[in-house]
Amino acid sequence: MTTYRGYATMSTPVMWLFALIFGVPAVFDLTADLAGMSRQDVLHNLARLCVGVFMLYCALRVQQGKRETLASRGTVIAGHLSFAFLAVMLLFKLGQYLGLAVL
């Protein structure tokens, strides 16, 4: 049993997988058709990119052997904020599909 907290408890392959799942499609969407996207789609892709970059940061810190830095309060808060940003944007996306879009 480890004494790690927060994102330090995630396994390294999961971190790399989350970085790929969230980051790569967001970068592709933002670079492929940024001018033709609505503001809501741009913000949604920025939220996905934020989560992908955070998970990439976590995976690289583990790769460097500095897993203990992921248990720091600042890193945990940054991770929670990025995932909360994504959750809010997913709710806006759901509202868009239901015809309740305000953004």
Side-chain angles (χ1 to χ4, degrees):
M1 186 77 183
T2 64
T3 58
Y4 293 129
R5 304 172 320 160
Y7 295 96
T9 59
M10 293 178 75
S11 66
T12 307
V14 171
M15 290 181 195
W16 285 107
L17 185 66
F18 276 6
L20 287 174
I21 287 174
F22 289 112
V24 173
V27 169
F28 177 76
D29 288 344
L30 286 172
T31 57
D33 189 28
L34 183 61
M37 287 183 173
S38 66
R39 284 184 299 179
Q40 186 172 0
D41 289 336
V42 171
L43 286 175
H44 177 72
N45 284 316
L46 286 176
R48 288 178 19 198
L49 184 62
C50 183
V51 170
V53 167
F54 176 75
M55 294 310 297
L56 180 64
Y57 166 77
C58 291
L60 290 174
R61 294 302 278 185
V62 170
Q63 191 82 18
Q64 295 170 350
K66 299 179 181 177
R67 185 179 286 268
E68 63 276 356
T69 60
L70 299 181
S72 71
R73 181 180 169 105
T75 305
V76 171
I77 289 173
H80 288 352
L81 286 175
S82 63
F83 277 101
F85 181 37
L86 180 65
V88 167
M89 291 316 301
L90 287 174
L91 287 175
F92 275 121
K93 198 71 158 168
L94 179 64
Q96 180 185 19
Y97 288 130
L98 296 176
L100 306 170
V102 293
L103 190 61

